[in-house]
């Protein structure tokens, strides 16, 4: 397949456009996603290309958006809904966790919810505490949900395609720091644009990146870094900055987790650093850390370390002190390299 | 700031508590036949008063009167009556089964049988009903096997939903019966979404949903009405106002201030209010809404006015919070009794037939119980424990595989 | 199932998109003075029609007419006019400040100044207002320091909320201004709770809340109206219908089906609908509701009918989704212009005074900007980084202590 | 103080009654909590004792209940609200996490939310998937919330008293398996009633059990068991069944966590088993496991183990296969005693 450079917004848009062309049961809706194409333009042109009833605006009711999508999906449609910011997903939390997640189970397989909830998430755009949150761990705890987070345009398109085709509900978080331009972890330095990057070379046609498979972004021998979304780039920068031969794993899917890749890597390196932007306490890093030490205990040469957001709301003026940057990753790497004491 | 007298908090209270004489003097009931029937194409703005009236067809003499009389043939009426009798008989037996320790839980719909039975008959089985736990009459009126209901209630090896849900949380897709949720209200917006899906696909199925008076306060009620109005979804939205929500009277949900039907006005939905103990009135109002939805004219809100005769569930004791004889004093009577009287009045039924029908219902339920209990009641029989791990996803992930292995099933 | 034609999904669309001629022909506007004013003690059921009318006081000639004329003294009118001018001037300057990179974000209320200014003057500072981001006029009409607003917008060292919130998310308890939430609608039920608390304590403070047309679809709108009605909470519930919610016209929130005021009917709340660009009408309707609440007669819903003249925020470009000149064509005019004309008409104001007032506003804003920018704009100055860890709890727990130590602040 | 035997319901009721007598700003409301006194009777008699406006019934709107309580608490009241079952707390999730939790922070301390959200939680009563859930970890991830879970009548009263007096929002989960009668971990065996147990001897007067302090239920040297709520009793039974000299720690408060007690114990025993009823993935056990290995890595002689609910909804017919029982705890103990391989 020939490719063109796309930023993440274009790649996601392309995934939606392909799937809507191919499958009449796929439709897209959310706040401002119809005529206007979404405040981040991910659903741009879909209404024009596919018609008013296939890409439309909704009332400002996140619970209504997801609740309606649940009903539609039990009819046999594959709705892809947008929650305008992940910070606003909580009003829909009940429909997601009590309904979509449990539908197949509680009905003995009679009703299912092949729906996707897309939502821009994460910080680094001066959005303050209500446009910066990373609530992924709150969904990983819910049996029956899949949770997917891409870190680059190529994966974004392939993963969204797989999410739409998945027969179970998928929560799909899109790191908005990576939407327009790439990010190399250092917020104060210029960065080469997506189009200069290999992972932004995206086929126009449909393709899949499988849900449940991690991507090894960088092979290495000394320490394993587990990251996803924006933090993949921070991890790479942090490893380089520390001058450590780190293996950087982009999880891509939190549930189901690619435990094999993780386990093999940590058994090889003997060390593990986990990076996420969400607050530390009960963030997904806790689960990862527990799994790693449960499965690789006798290979570990230092405690599994976590580099995360602080246990505070996301504060507007202190964006870059809150955001876990390459320096903190480098510090953690150095610490685990010396046994983490 | 002005110097005004102190404010005070108003907390609503019902007209009677245990020991008090039931008082229904606040109810404003229209006479049977008194309420006009608007054309189905009427603009909602032209029929707002309907939300404050009460559609009734059966009068005190058992006569069907007025513009809402659906003029059903006697066979249909008899089918309805029998389904109501069967529903009540089933409830009584299952309530007893709980006392006998055969199940962990049960919920009756005593006094509300006309609702689900009439509506289950008006709507098609290809339509989808999004019920609460008090519309077992939908299943019964459509001939869903009573033994399957019991298997679910007993969580036994033949439970269609594999032991995963609390008793009475049926799911019966082929009977147009959506999987019941324990979470109040969630089904309401799902019904709207399902109806939108049918419209989106250019099909001609419609949805129907039920919610209790108490549960109208939930958020999903609001989002359902909003989406139904904005997208003109083909759905019949029923509010079953049975006066109680566990121990809270309907005033706690706002019923002292206005009718539940009037909530439709603020969304521009046509809104009807109907005597829920009048089989014919429920039938008529539902048909009106059904035709409106089916002809792409959008959703209707129907408040169905009734009384919860039984305890909320087997965990409840209403004598602790309402006058003991309130149900007997309910001015709209009993739906079975009223339809029976009507049938007798028009010469299509007799006390003997009634007695026979009741006996037949007991027999049907007994036969079903025999069949179901042969498989087993709660704890005696159950689906394979591996069902705990199945259908979390279409395909289990490694965690479920490992965990299942740990249990050894 | 009946064999009926296929259904289809209706998706509402506005009367005009970019390139189209603005079309407001669907609006049904009452003439100034045309709507009756019910007694404050009127039963909600006796005044339902108010939800479908439009209270207006200022007519096309700048005359104040009809039963809703609040008959304000000229000083009050001039105070109101000046506060509106100041609000607009402040908005313009801050919008520019965003372009200059002095802040990350700003939101104007152009065309809606009469709302917060009139209401801020009617309500007391001891009452609590639960605003959205478009009621900066509340602060300005009450003399909250403009420089403090700017300090918040710049997240500078003097930001009263310590750099923790997005620009314009003010909090000013002493001015009866509740901390703005980024989450739409949440304040509405909180206002009801606050009002219930005042009533519970036997105090005489009331609450007021604002919500946008689009945000009425949120769940908290429903719970607020439910609780307000059930507990007769002393609260004024305003819906600011400015026709747009970012790129979605009010039809997407149900505004094509009925009025937003009519949503009050289903809760039994008295509901008014008022010309939001008419300072006197807003004043009058608010006073009616304020007195009702203050005298323990409960909540009122007020739909304030206006038009969002500016982009949604500095992140928005309305020319992509609505006709460019829609605002100019808005039939209810500009609130500042209309009050000015009225004052001139009654001989209490002149074009010269207007010019002077505008200049004075510019001067006030400039002085405030000087004061605030002397402290610093975004990135140049900010509160101590330790504020990141403060006030998560009353006392930090060990995690916060350790994490703060890690940052070294 | 003289004591009387109370079950957990009576102890909680007593805490509420004391505080309402003492402090006119304390009020109680929720679904069926007023006249009827709550479906579990925790608010029994409060309306009679303190009046209609101090203990009342609410509409069935969890978001409304918490939203109103948030508003009241910013007025200066101390509302204690009941969510009838923890499974129904999700509609209120937004008001809890976006509003109550962040109020103090976002307003620079101008507005605060001293409110308590009480909710019966956990399984073991044949409640099926919507009357059995343990959603505690979903609240531990939210900065600004405290999370408290008692395991016995004495603590229940003292902790609820402290929660009401706390100046920040507290999520207070009440293990309904322990409400009426005690539980000793073995569901099929009879158990001696609360009144025969020391922890059910409860003073009639007000007293405090501090938030943030764990209770060592059993001292031991070989392994540390971390548990809370119903699982404390399962842990004790499991330890006895395994015949292992376990130190059983009842956390009592998840946030703020008593890390000192935990750390000291694990450093002493060198082994750790965590028990909770919630599903494993991203349950609070993940966080605990991560913390323990971060802080006690060089003391650990075996991987930190988790005994938890499965990653499925809570299934009615398989209650006791889902519920982590003493046998599973014993198996885990034996495993960590032999190095966990
Ligand atoms: C979200 C949620 N909140 C609370 C409950 C507990 N609950 C179950 S039934 C019920 C009362 C419902 O009353 P109503 O809606 O009037 O229906 P009815 O039982 O009268 O048919 C309550 C509060 C629940 N199941 N779900
Ligand atoms: C819960 C939530 N959902 C979505 C948003 C994003 N958002 C911010 S403003 C807005 C539009 C609000 O429109 P309206 O209520 O009409 O108020 P207006 O901006 O017109 O004053 C949206 C969707 C949000 N802030 N919070
Ligand atoms: Mg009811
Ligand atoms: Mg608006």
């Amino acid at each position: 397949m020939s490719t063109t450079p796309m930023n993440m917004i274009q790649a996601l848009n392309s995934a939606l456009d392909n799937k809507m062309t191919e499958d009449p049961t796929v439709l897209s809706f959310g706040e401002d996603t119809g005529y206007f194409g979404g405040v981040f333009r991910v659903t741009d042109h879909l209404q024009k290309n596919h018609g008013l009833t296939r890409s439309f605006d909704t009332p400002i009711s996140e619970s209504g958006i997801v609740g309606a999508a649940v009903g539609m999906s039990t009819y046999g449609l594959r709705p892809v809904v947008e929650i305008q910011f992940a910070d606003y997903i909580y009003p829909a939390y009940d429909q997601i966790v009590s309904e979509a997640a449990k539908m197949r189970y509680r009905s003995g397989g009679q009703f299912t919810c092949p729906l996707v909830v897309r939502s821009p998430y994460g910080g680094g755009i001066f959005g303050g505490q209500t446009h910066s949150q990373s609530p992924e761990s709150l969904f990983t705890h819910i049996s029956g949900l899949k949770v997917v987070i891409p870190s680059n345009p190529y994966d974004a398109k392939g993963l969204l395609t797989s999410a739409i085709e998945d027969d179970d509900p998928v929560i799909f978080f899109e790191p908005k720091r990576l939407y327009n331009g790439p990010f190399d972890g250092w917020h104060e330095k210029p960065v080469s644009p997506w189009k200069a990057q290999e992972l932004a070379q995206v086929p126009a046609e449909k393709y899949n990146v499988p849900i449940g498979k991690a991507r090894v972004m960088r092979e290495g021998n000394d320490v394993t870094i587990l990251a996803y979304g924006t933090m993949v780039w921070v991890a790479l920068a942090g490893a380089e900055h520390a001058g450590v031969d780190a293996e950087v794993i982009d999880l891509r899917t939190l549930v189901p987790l690619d435990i094999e890749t993780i386990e093999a890597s940590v058994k090889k390196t003997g060390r593990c650093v986990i990076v996420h932007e969400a607050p530390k306490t009960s963030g997904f890093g806790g689960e990862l850390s527990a799994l790693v030490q449960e499965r690789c205990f006798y290979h570990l040469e230092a405690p599994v370390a976590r580099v995360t957001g602080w246990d505070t709301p996301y504060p507007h003026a202190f964006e870059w002190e809150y955001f876990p940057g390459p320096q903190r990753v480098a510090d953690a790497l150095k610490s685990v390299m010396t046994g983490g004491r | 700031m002005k110097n005004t007298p102190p404010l005070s908090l108003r907390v609503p209270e019902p007209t009677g508590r245990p020991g008090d004489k039931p008082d229904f003097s606040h109810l404003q009931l229209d006479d049977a036949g008194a309420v006009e029937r608007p054309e189905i194409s009427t603009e909602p703005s032209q029929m707002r008063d309907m939300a404050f009236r009460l559609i009734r067809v059966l009068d005190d003499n058992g006569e069907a009167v007025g513009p809402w009389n659906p003029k059903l043939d006697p066979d249909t009426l008899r089918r309805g009556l029998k389904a109501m009798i069967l529903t009540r008989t089933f409830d009584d037996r299952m309530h007893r089964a709980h006392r006998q320790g055969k199940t962990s839980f049960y919920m009756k719909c005593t006094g509300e049988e006309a609702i689900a039975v009439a509506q289950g008959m008006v709507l098609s089985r290809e339509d989808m009903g999004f019920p609460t736990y008090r519309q077992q009459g939908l299943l019964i009126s459509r001939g869903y096997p009573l033994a399957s209901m019991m298997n679910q209630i007993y969580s036994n090896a033949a439970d269609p939903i594999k032991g995963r849900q609390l008793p009475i949380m049926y799911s019966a897709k082929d009977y147009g019966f959506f999987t019941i949720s324990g979470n109040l209200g969630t089904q309401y917006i799902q019904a709207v979404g399902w109806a939108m899906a049918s419209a989106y696909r250019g099909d001609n199925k419609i949805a129907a949903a039920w919610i209790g008076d108490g549960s109208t306060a939930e958020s999903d009620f609001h989002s359902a009405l909003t989406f139904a109005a904005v997208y003109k979804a083909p759905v019949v939205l029923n509010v079953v106002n049975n006066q109680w929500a566990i121990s809270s009277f309907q005033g706690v949900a706002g019923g002292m201030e206005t009718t539940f039907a009037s909530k439709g006005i603020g969304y521009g939905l046509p809104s009807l209010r109907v005597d829920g103990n009048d089989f014919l009135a429920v039938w008529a109002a539902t048909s009106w809404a059904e035709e409106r939805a089916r002809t792409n004219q959008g959703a209707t809100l129907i408040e169905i006015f009734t009384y919860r005769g039984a305890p909320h569930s087997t965990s409840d004791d209403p004598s602790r919070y309402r006058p003991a004889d309130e149900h007997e004093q309910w001015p709209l009577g009993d739906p079975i009794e009223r339809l029976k009287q009507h049938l007798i009045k028009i010469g299509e039924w007799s006390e003997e037939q009634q007695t026979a029908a009741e006996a037949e219902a007991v027999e049907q339920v007994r036969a079903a119980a025999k069949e179901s209990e042969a498989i087993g009641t709660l704890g005696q029989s159950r689906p394979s424990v591996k069902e705990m791990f199945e259908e979390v996803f279409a395909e289990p992930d490694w965690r479920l595989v490992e965990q299942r292995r740990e249990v050894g099933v």
Side-chain angles (χ1 to χ4, degrees), chain A, chain B:
Chain A
M1 288 189 275
S2 75
T3 63
T4 33
M6 295 188 195
N7 66 24
M8 197 186 279
I9 291 169
Q10 294 162 331
L12 291 163
N13 183 260
S14 172
L16 284 162
D17 196 57
N18 289 168
K19 280 304 302 178
M20 287 174 77
T21 302
E22 177 185 284
D23 180 354
T25 69
V26 176
L27 75 172
S28 158
F29 52 95
E31 296 159 16
D32 302 293
T33 61
Y35 183 85
F36 184 56
V39 297
F40 289 103
R41 335 278 323 129
V42 174
T43 57
D44 205 14
H45 292 301
L46 296 180
Q47 187 174 91
K48 216 165 139 196
N49 294 351
H50 303 282
L52 190 62
T53 64
R54 297 198 60 198
S55 175
F56 55 84
D57 294 325
T58 62
I60 303 176
S61 167
E62 291 76 15
S63 64
I65 293 167
V66 176
V70 168
M72 286 178 179
S73 63
T74 64
Y75 189 92
L77 302 188
R78 292 184 177 272
V80 184
V81 302
E82 175 175 303
I83 300 298
Q84 199 165 85
F85 287 88
D87 316 64
Y88 305 138
I89 204 167
Y90 309 117
Y93 199 62
D94 189 47
Q95 281 287 346
I96 296 173
V97 311
S98 303
E99 299 295 319
K102 299 183 174 69
M103 194 65 75
R104 178 188 295 279
Y105 193 79
R106 81 168 198 233
S107 69
Q110 290 176 12
F111 297 93
T112 60
C113 289
L115 64 88
V116 180
V117 179
R118 295 181 35 249
S119 192
Y121 100 116
I125 59 152
F126 270 100
Q129 55 183 277
T130 57
H131 301 87
S132 303
Q133 294 171 34
S134 297
E136 66 277 5
S137 96
L138 304 171
F139 297 90
T140 60
H141 186 47
I142 306 302
S143 310
L145 294 182
K146 299 187 177 177
V147 181
V148 174
I149 304 181
S151 74
N152 59 76
Y154 182 88
D155 285 353
K157 177 169 175 178
L159 285 167
L160 183 55
T161 303
S162 298
I164 297 171
E165 293 176 355
D166 199 282
D167 288 332
D168 287 303
V170 179
I171 309 299
F172 194 92
F173 285 122
E174 303 166 0
K176 54 185 171 301
R177 187 62 178 86
L178 306 177
Y179 259 164
N180 281 295
F183 180 70
D184 71 359
W186 298 105
H187 69 91
E188 58 293 53
K189 296 188 195 149
V191 57
S192 67
W194 271 131
K195 65 175 186 294
Q197 306 210 14
E198 202 193 321
L199 287 172
Q201 308 310 315
V202 179
E205 298 80 36
K206 189 195 110 165
Y207 62 91
N208 291 73
V209 170
I211 288 179
K213 281 300 295 167
R215 177 197 277 276
V216 178
M217 293 290 281
R218 183 192 188 286
E219 294 195 11
N221 290 305
D222 290 350
V223 51
T224 301
I225 311 185
L226 304 179
Y228 47 91
T230 313
M231 289 298 124
V232 170
W233 306 97
V234 174
L236 289 164
E240 198 188 354
H241 186 57
V244 170
D245 184 23
E247 180 142 304
V248 178
I249 298 179
D250 175 357
L251 297 178
R252 300 201 289 202
T253 306
L254 274 48
V255 179
L257 188 67
D258 184 353
I259 192 71
E260 277 177 38
T261 300
I262 295 170
E263 213 175 310
S265 177
V266 177
K267 284 187 174 157
K268 174 177 75 174
T269 62
R271 294 179 169 85
C272 182
V273 172
I274 297 156
V275 194
H276 63 63
E277 201 178 335
K280 183 173 198 172
T281 302
S282 293
F284 194 60
E287 178 62 28
L288 289 171
S289 173
L291 286 172
V292 165
Q293 72 88 35
E294 279 160 14
R295 291 170 179 258
C296 310
F297 184 77
Y298 289 100
H299 296 80
L300 286 176
E301 299 184 40
V304 180
R306 292 184 284 173
V307 178
T308 69
W310 309 120
D311 285 313
T312 76
Y314 211 116
H316 183 251
F318 315 114
E319 177 105 17
W320 300 115
E321 284 82 7
Y322 185 93
F323 188 95
Q327 186 60 55
R328 284 184 55 208
V329 173
D331 293 346
L333 289 171
K334 285 181 202 153
S335 169
V336 299
M337 288 314 295
T338 57
R341 288 182 202 253
Chain B
M1 199 168 65
K2 295 180 210 167
N3 193 354
T4 45
L7 295 162
S8 62
L9 189 65
R10 190 274 300 262
V11 174
E13 287 187 286
T15 53
R17 288 296 191 187
D20 295 340
K21 234 173 86 73
D23 176 4
F24 289 116
S25 58
H26 57 287
L27 298 186
Q28 287 174 10
L29 306 173
D30 284 291
D31 286 337
V35 178
E36 266 175 74
R37 182 178 185 280
E39 287 300 308
I40 282 165
S41 58
T42 306
E43 283 297 316
S45 60
Q46 300 310 308
M47 52 175 285
R48 290 191 193 114
D49 57 315
M50 294 297 296
F52 304 99
R53 307 297 302 276
L54 193 70
I55 298 168
R56 302 177 65 195
V57 172
L58 286 171
D59 71 12
D60 292 347
N61 303 318
E63 220 81 70
V65 297
W68 285 93
N69 182 359
K71 308 213 170 104
L72 302 178
D73 61 82
D75 266 357
T76 305
L77 293 175
R78 277 186 295 260
R79 272 201 297 131
L81 180 64
K82 285 181 187 170
M84 290 201 285
I85 294 170
L86 187 55
T87 303
R88 187 168 295 178
T89 308
F90 184 86
D91 271 2
D92 288 340
R93 173 116 195 175
M94 289 297 99
H95 196 78
R96 267 200 325 275
H98 174 261
R99 285 225 207 86
Q100 296 162 346
K102 294 177 181 170
T103 176
S104 60
F105 188 70
Y106 192 72
M107 295 179 99
K108 299 167 82 171
C109 66
T110 315
E112 304 176 32
E113 293 88 349
I115 300 167
V117 168
Q119 299 194 297
M121 290 171 74
V122 171
L123 296 163
S124 153
R125 202 185 265 212
E126 279 79 48
D127 297 329
M128 187 57 72
F130 289 74
T132 78
Y133 42 71
R134 243 181 267 287
Q135 280 82 49
Q136 49 267 59
L138 288 173
L139 289 172
I140 292 175
S141 68
R142 288 177 181 170
Y144 184 78
L146 300 180
S148 296
M149 293 172 75
M150 292 176 182
N151 293 338
Q152 197 282 326
I153 292 165
Y154 294 152
S155 281
N156 70 17
D159 174 3
I161 52 173
K162 307 169 190 178
R164 300 201 190 112
Q165 272 270 49
L166 203 65
I168 63 95
M169 300 283 174
Y170 316 106
S171 180
K173 191 174 189 177
D174 295 343
Y175 289 76
F177 191 97
F178 195 72
T179 157
I180 298 177
S181 177
N183 301 60
L184 294 172
T186 50
Q187 75 283 2
Y188 227 55
I189 175 69
Q190 292 166 5
V192 174
W194 196 96
M196 287 172 71
S198 175
Y200 168 87
R201 295 293 280 164
D203 295 339
N204 70 348
K205 300 178 219 175
I206 68 170
W210 289 262
I211 200 169
D213 50 319
S215 306
T216 59
E218 287 287 9
S219 307
D220 292 309
F221 178 76
H222 178 53
S223 49
L225 270 60
T226 302
F227 278 64
V230 168
Y231 302 107
K232 261 192 182 291
V235 58
V236 180
L237 295 168
N238 302 292
V239 174
V240 181
N241 178 2
N242 64 4
Q243 313 300 319
W244 289 93
I246 310 187
S247 73
S248 300
F249 84 116
Q250 44 94 36
V252 174
M256 265 168 62
E257 314 304 318
T258 182
T259 67
F260 289 92
S262 73
K263 293 192 188 293
I265 294 173
Y267 305 84
L269 292 177
S271 306
L272 306 175
R273 196 155 163 274
V274 61
D275 176 351
N277 292 14
D278 177 342
F279 183 88
L280 296 178
V282 174
W283 185 292
T286 310
S287 300
W288 192 96
E290 184 263 352
E291 186 174 334
R292 191 167 168 111
R294 190 88 63 198
T295 52
N296 220 21
Q297 297 179 79
T300 302
L301 185 72
I302 309 180
E303 174 183 351
I304 310 181
F305 203 65
T306 184
Y307 187 91
R308 193 196 80 209
H312 172 71
S313 74
T314 46
S315 315
D316 180 47
D317 173 8
S319 74
R320 305 191 63 152
Y321 52 78
R322 68 185 189 187
D325 56 341
E326 224 187 49
H327 187 211
E328 286 149 47
Q329 305 299 321
W330 177 245
L332 294 174
D334 178 82
I336 295 181
E337 195 56 32
R338 284 173 71 192
L339 186 57
K340 169 188 140 191
Q341 289 307 346
H342 172 62
L343 269 164
I344 291 175
K345 188 88 185 185
I346 61 172
E348 295 284 352
W349 195 249
S350 67
E351 289 292 353
E352 297 67 46
Q353 280 172 294
Q354 180 74 14
T355 311
E358 283 169 6
E360 193 196 317
V362 170
E363 194 36 57
Q364 273 179 276
V365 173
R366 184 180 305 152
K370 204 171 153 198
E371 179 185 340
S372 175
E373 295 180 13
I375 302 166
T377 58
L378 182 69
Q380 296 179 342
S381 154
R382 58 176 183 168
S384 160
V385 178
K386 78 173 161 41
E387 291 299 348
M388 177 156 68
F389 297 104
E390 299 279 359
E391 291 175 330
V392 178
F393 297 105
E395 295 296 332
D397 65 19
W398 59 269
R399 301 172 301 166
L400 293 163
V401 171
E402 285 188 3
Q403 291 173 12
R404 178 169 163 182
R405 197 179 304 136
E406 196 173 331
V407 177
V409 289

